[in-house]
Amino acid sequence: MVAVKFKKEGYAKYISHIDLLKHITRIIRRAELNIEYSNGFNPHMKLKMSLPTPLGVGSTAEYMTMFLVDTKAEEVVEKFNEKSINGIEIVKAWNVELNPNFAGKVVSCDYEMPIKKTFDCDEFVNQKEIIMKYEQKGVEKSKDIKPLINKMVIEDNVLKMNLSAGVNNLRVDRVANLLNEIYGTGINTIDINKVNQYRLDNKKLVNYEDYLNKNEISDN
Amino acid sequence: MSSNEKIDSILLKVERPARYIGNEYNLPNINKEYKSKFCMCFPDLYEVGMSNLGIRILYHMINEHKDAIAERCFAPKQDLADLLKENEIDLFSLETKTPLKDFDFLGISVQFEMLYSNILYMLDLANIPFYAKDRDESYPLLIGGGPCSVNPEPFAEYFDIISIGDGEECITNLIDLYNVHKDKGYNKDTFLREAQNIEGVYVPKFYKPLEERFEYIENDGKVKQSFVRDLENSFFPTKMIVPNIEVVHDRPVIELFRGCPNGCRFCQACYFYRPIREKSLDRVLQTAKESIENTGFEEISLASLSSSDYSQISNVVNDLSNICETKGVKLSLPSLRLDSFDAKMVKKSRLGSLTFAPEAGTQRLRDVINKNISDEDIEKSITQAFKVGYKSVKLYFMIGLPTETYEDLDGIREIVLKIKRIYSSMGFKRPLRITASASVFIPKPLTPFQWAEHLDEEEVINRQNYLKQILKIKNVSFNWHGSKSSKLEAVFARGDRRLAKVIETAYRNGAKFDSWSEHFDYYIWEDAFKKENIDMDIYLKEIDIETPLPWDFINFYVSKKHLIREYLKSKEVKCTKSCIHCCQGCTENKIEGCGHGSC
């Protein structure tokens, strides 16, 4: 099997996660990659994606595992990209023995976005609580997101954040909306970029890419 | 902000922005040099329009033309429409975000009567005047086409040209002629006059209707339905666009043949798509194979009006399932006629629910409508189907067919009960689910029933209620079609030019997306008819055979004589056989290739 890191940019940002999954199966079929199918009544390709990135948000750090048979990582990059859609491109691939379980193990992600107006990040994160209101399935909700923001800095008018992901997920587009409301930061959802995804190994944050480079996938 | 940036900035504010961004896989090369550009418009959402085979063929065909390109535009949902108006952005094409106004041609596909209001909705959003007479040379030429071109009169005055029949050759000829005119200095009137020589072209403004019961046009012999004579070698796309969101029919569709030999007397498609023209097994397989390789779709299907009448249907299913199996692709088979149901064949495709359309509950009524299926056929096919494992059956019926009585409605219940009996006699444990649907019969132009009555709304409701009562059976569900939308569809199907202003008034009062039940508001339409002082009933009643009809000026492949003959036979409860083995003489100018003559 092969694990890959891929980009989602340009108009592909408007493609929802479910539609993206469908696209990937079609790309694999066009590229004639030899992939395993599930044994169910309706066989489907065995693919494991990292967690969904919100609609409109770009990413240079999406991951997935493809259960390929007799296929080397190098040929996947070439064949896949040749038949891929605009904005979806594999940047690196690794031969793996076990599925790295990207969706299940992720604990946080880095995001970057240009801002039009700067603000004091420390003051923001050091509040006693940070209440964020949002809508979920038509229901107004609110929660304290302070524990879910791990890092927030501004460098050259680019806001960089590390937000909790996975079990305690914090959606970056919602944080951006909140900052726009409070500080008038003028962040466009389409300018937000996911740049890294992390897992926790021995209580230390490990970037997925480093983890794959070491190639010591012990559990899944 | 440039207009493209303006568009990008509003797209994230709307539901499913991927509908409007284009940029899909397999886009043809539209950056080549061209003389004219065409925008293929579809008056419904992206998801619906992208599933349409006609659009798919014409769009890719024009992009193969050496001097033309085609882009696409679909009706946007209200959320985007509001933002376009608010931001003063004209409706734009998917590919290059070009305002529709800037094209040479706008081709609008009119698929059925309930989309008429959406033609105006799109023109309105594009800031284009509704009536052809109000548009000078600076506007694109508006071409209407699609199944509704069989009677284009209700919307004819909106268009410069109506393309009647198969679009492939008609549109190519129009583009070629236009390019010549463009080179030597384009004058709209001169062009339109010359365009009238192209088979399939109707230029409404050159015709003044006469009045009688309906407005009608004298048949001058010039307006002819166009049809592709050599379908085998005609263009068919294998690099179809792979949409970025799920569309209604999300798969390549491979055409087996055009036309239908069965001659059901209510069916417009049967008569409109004649003559019957088959594609060879090789062409079908080649098209299917290339389509799978070029698109990567997980499913593929075959299209025709009656696939079981394809001369090589078992070969096609066998060979195609082999191709599909190796590529992990599902094969779905549509439109298998009840009497030719071959269980082995169906097993090769996905086992969903079995769909049968007896259309009427009794043998007598099936004879009237020329649905050549006997009770015995139903029994046999259903038994076969249960043997291969079907646990769910969908049945389609029509109510309000000519001569229908309550006895015929009882017949629907009898069929349902019989199917249940067959199933339980075979000793299955899992319960059988039956879904029966009843649409309302609508007399359509170019059918033997074009003179028949559309059943009065009150009586439609009575019969629907009666069916609801008698179909209260365990594990049977019953669906019916809205009586009010059926009534409107019937009015417009046989409508004349007077209805153009009704459509306009209804649109101005909020009618749009009338094919979506959640948007359909009958009272807007009722008001519009009142305001324009037009009585709906004249379009709904039975019509005398002698009365000139609004679509009589079109010279179709199928002759009016044949339709009259069939109508009279229906009154005598007499059937007409399928023309697959024995020509039934539906035309006065039979073409080579329609080789079903020797009885």
Side-chain angles (χ1 to χ4, degrees), chain A residues 11 19 23 26 29-30 86, chain B residues 25 244 295-296 298 327:
Chain A
Y11 279 121
D19 289 327
H23 268 300
R26 290 171 184 170
R29 195 171 287 111
R30 293 198 289 264
N86 283 342
Chain B
Y25 187 77
N244 281 331
T295 63
E298 53 288 329
K327 301 197 183 275

Side-chain angles (χ1 to χ4, degrees), chain B residues 65-249:
Chain B
H65 192 289
K66 66 178 185 5
D67 291 322
I69 58 148
E71 303 193 27
R72 293 161 296 154
C73 180
F74 302 92
K77 261 208 139 173
Q78 191 63 48
D79 57 353
L80 180 61
D82 291 342
L83 286 166
L84 291 178
K85 290 247 164 190
E86 200 178 295
N87 292 279
E88 296 180 341
I89 301 171
D90 287 346
L91 186 59
F92 52 86
S93 65
L94 280 186
E95 283 79 356
T96 59
K97 313 272 182 285
T98 303
L100 295 197
K101 250 192 230 168
D102 297 346
F103 282 85
D104 296 286
F105 293 101
L106 298 184
I108 302 187
S109 169
V110 194
Q111 294 292 314
F112 95 117
E113 292 79 1
M114 301 309 278
L115 293 175
Y116 292 173
S117 55
N118 266 27
I119 299 172
L120 300 186
Y121 173 60
M122 289 186 86
L123 292 178
D124 189 16
L125 291 172
N127 266 313
I128 293 175
F130 294 168
Y131 289 88
K133 64 176 166 52
D134 300 329
R135 297 190 300 262
D136 60 16
E137 262 99 351
S138 69
Y139 288 100
L141 281 158
L142 235 71
I143 307 179
C148 287
S149 66
V150 89
N151 173 25
E153 286 305 274
F155 55 85
E157 288 178 307
Y158 306 144
F159 289 89
D160 299 294
I161 294 170
I162 308 280
S163 154
I164 299 168
D166 292 342
E168 287 99 328
E169 288 164 6
C170 182
I171 299 295
T172 307
N173 292 335
L174 277 170
I175 290 172
D176 289 341
L177 182 69
Y178 178 83
N179 287 347
V180 171
H181 277 248
K182 215 177 171 184
D183 283 345
K184 65 180 189 198
Y186 169 71
N187 171 284
K188 190 169 169 181
D189 253 32
T190 319
F191 167 74
L192 289 175
R193 291 216 180 267
E194 232 177 285
Q196 285 184 291
N197 298 326
I198 296 171
E199 184 181 85
V201 166
Y202 163 47
V203 181
K205 78 168 198 175
F206 294 141
Y207 292 86
K208 284 276 162 295
L210 305 167
E211 237 172 297
E212 206 174 277
R213 176 178 166 182
F214 298 114
E215 286 192 344
Y216 73 101
I217 286 164
E218 206 84 64
N219 189 330
D220 60 2
K222 279 190 194 152
V223 182
K224 294 193 191 90
Q225 175 186 12
S226 126
F227 53 92
V228 175
R229 279 148 182 88
D230 182 6
L231 195 69
E232 171 72 1
N233 293 305
S234 106
F235 175 82
F236 195 86
T238 58
K239 276 189 89 171
M240 70 168 267
I241 288 176
V242 182
N244 281 331
I245 50 171
E246 191 174 348
V247 301
V248 181
H249 298 295

Side-chain angles (χ1 to χ4, degrees), chain A residues 10-16 18-20 22-23 25-27 29-32 37 41-43 45 55-57 82-87 188-190, chain B residues 4 8-9 11-12 16-18 21-26 97 242-246 250-251 292-299 327-330 350-351:
Chain A
Y11 279 121
K13 292 178 204 171
Y14 292 97
I15 298 173
S16 72
I18 288 170
D19 289 327
L20 177 64
K22 208 168 231 176
H23 268 300
T25 63
R26 290 171 184 170
I27 296 166
R29 195 171 287 111
R30 293 198 289 264
E32 299 188 328
Y37 281 80
F41 186 70
N42 264 328
M45 287 187 190
L55 195 68
V57 174
E82 196 193 316
K83 301 287 180 182
S84 185
I85 59 174
N86 283 342
N188 279 328
T189 306
I190 43 173
Chain B
N4 272 17
D8 282 353
S9 74
L11 283 184
L12 260 187
R16 305 191 89 178
I21 57 172
N23 206 47
E24 304 100 325
Y25 187 77
N26 274 345
K97 313 272 182 285
V242 182
N244 281 331
I245 50 171
E246 191 174 348
D250 214 0
R251 55 187 165 265
I292 295 170
E293 286 167 0
N294 291 337
T295 63
F297 274 105
E298 53 288 329
E299 188 174 349
K327 301 197 183 275
V329 173
K330 285 175 217 151
R350 214 157 37 133
L351 218 58

Side-chain angles (χ1 to χ4, degrees), chain B residues 193-448:
Chain B
R193 291 216 180 267
E194 232 177 285
Q196 285 184 291
N197 298 326
I198 296 171
E199 184 181 85
V201 166
Y202 163 47
V203 181
K205 78 168 198 175
F206 294 141
Y207 292 86
K208 284 276 162 295
L210 305 167
E211 237 172 297
E212 206 174 277
R213 176 178 166 182
F214 298 114
E215 286 192 344
Y216 73 101
I217 286 164
E218 206 84 64
N219 189 330
D220 60 2
K222 279 190 194 152
V223 182
K224 294 193 191 90
Q225 175 186 12
S226 126
F227 53 92
V228 175
R229 279 148 182 88
D230 182 6
L231 195 69
E232 171 72 1
N233 293 305
S234 106
F235 175 82
F236 195 86
T238 58
K239 276 189 89 171
M240 70 168 267
I241 288 176
V242 182
N244 281 331
I245 50 171
E246 191 174 348
V247 301
V248 181
H249 298 295
D250 214 0
R251 55 187 165 265
V253 173
I254 314 300
E255 189 181 31
L256 293 176
F257 67 100
R258 261 175 227 185
C260 177
N262 295 302
C264 300
R265 290 176 180 135
F266 55 84
C267 178
Q268 190 179 55
C270 167
Y271 295 95
F272 190 44
Y273 293 106
R274 279 186 182 180
I276 294 167
R277 290 148 292 166
E278 267 200 9
K279 288 186 174 177
S280 70
L281 179 63
D282 281 351
R283 174 92 199 270
V284 169
L285 293 177
Q286 187 60 27
T287 309
K289 202 166 157 272
E290 283 174 24
S291 299
I292 295 170
E293 286 167 0
N294 291 337
T295 63
F297 274 105
E298 53 288 329
E299 188 174 349
I300 190 166
S301 78
L302 299 173
S304 72
L305 290 168
S306 169
S307 296
S308 36
D309 284 313
Y310 182 64
S311 60
Q312 307 228 44
I313 186 69
S314 355
N315 286 338
V316 102
V317 173
N318 266 321
D319 296 356
L320 210 53
S321 12
N322 290 338
I323 295 172
C324 287
E325 226 166 83
T326 58
K327 301 197 183 275
V329 173
K330 285 175 217 151
L331 171 65
S332 65
L333 292 176
S335 294
L336 287 174
R337 219 176 56 250
L338 190 46
D339 54 338
S340 66
F341 180 77
D342 183 335
K344 262 200 316 230
M345 222 154 70
V346 175
K347 205 173 179 182
K348 290 271 188 186
S349 79
R350 214 157 37 133
L351 218 58
S353 72
L354 179 70
T355 305
F356 278 162
E359 308 291 1
T362 60
Q363 190 62 53
R364 183 200 66 83
L365 191 53
R366 284 198 296 272
D367 288 347
V368 169
I369 66 175
N370 203 40
K371 186 91 193 180
N372 286 315
I373 295 168
S374 64
D375 287 350
E376 209 177 54
D377 290 332
I378 300 179
E379 241 166 84
K380 232 169 64 191
S381 332
I382 286 282
T383 311
Q384 282 288 338
F386 291 154
K387 271 188 195 154
V388 297
Y390 278 99
K391 303 271 179 253
S392 159
V393 178
K394 277 188 196 155
L395 297 168
Y396 288 98
F397 297 96
M398 250 185 241
I399 56 171
L401 286 161
T403 76
E404 181 184 76
T405 64
Y406 280 74
E407 222 167 275
D408 298 305
L409 302 182
D410 290 336
I412 293 178
R413 177 183 154 90
E414 290 310 313
I415 291 176
V416 169
L417 291 177
K418 185 194 282 172
I419 291 173
K420 280 185 75 104
R421 267 201 309 276
I422 294 172
Y423 186 80
S424 54
S425 75
M426 292 171 81
F428 295 112
K429 290 219 176 68
R430 237 172 80 190
L432 171 72
R433 306 185 53 83
I434 300 179
T435 310
S437 305
S439 63
V440 185
F441 163 70
I442 292 167
K444 294 261 170 151
L446 196 66
T447 65

Side-chain angles (χ1 to χ4, degrees), chain A residues 75-91:
Chain A
E75 64 176 307
V76 172
V77 181
E78 197 180 315
K79 284 186 175 167
F80 184 97
N81 288 345
E82 196 193 316
K83 301 287 180 182
S84 185
I85 59 174
N86 283 342
I88 300 295
E89 187 190 348
I90 294 182
V91 287

Side-chain angles (χ1 to χ4, degrees), chain A residues 95-163:
Chain A
N95 295 306
V96 291
E97 295 295 322
L98 288 167
N99 170 21
N101 191 3
F102 298 116
K105 291 289 176 185
V106 67
V107 291
S108 74
C109 297
D110 286 340
Y111 301 94
E112 295 183 0
M113 63 218 75
I115 52 171
K116 297 199 174 87
K117 202 176 143 208
T118 187
F119 66 97
D120 189 336
C121 292
D122 292 340
E123 194 184 284
F124 178 74
V125 294
N126 289 333
Q127 300 173 79
K128 219 159 70 201
E129 52 173 24
I130 305 172
I131 301 299
M132 181 180 80
K133 289 199 172 103
Y134 60 100
E135 221 185 70
Q136 199 171 34
K137 289 172 186 157
V139 184
E140 185 107 340
K141 293 192 167 181
S142 76
K143 71 173 167 190
D144 179 13
I145 58 168
K146 182 180 157 96
L148 306 179
I149 303 174
N150 307 317
K151 189 185 107 182
M152 189 181 272
V153 293
I154 297 172
E155 289 168 11
D156 298 332
N157 289 321
V158 174
L159 173 64
K160 299 180 176 180
M161 299 193 266
N162 180 282
L163 304 178

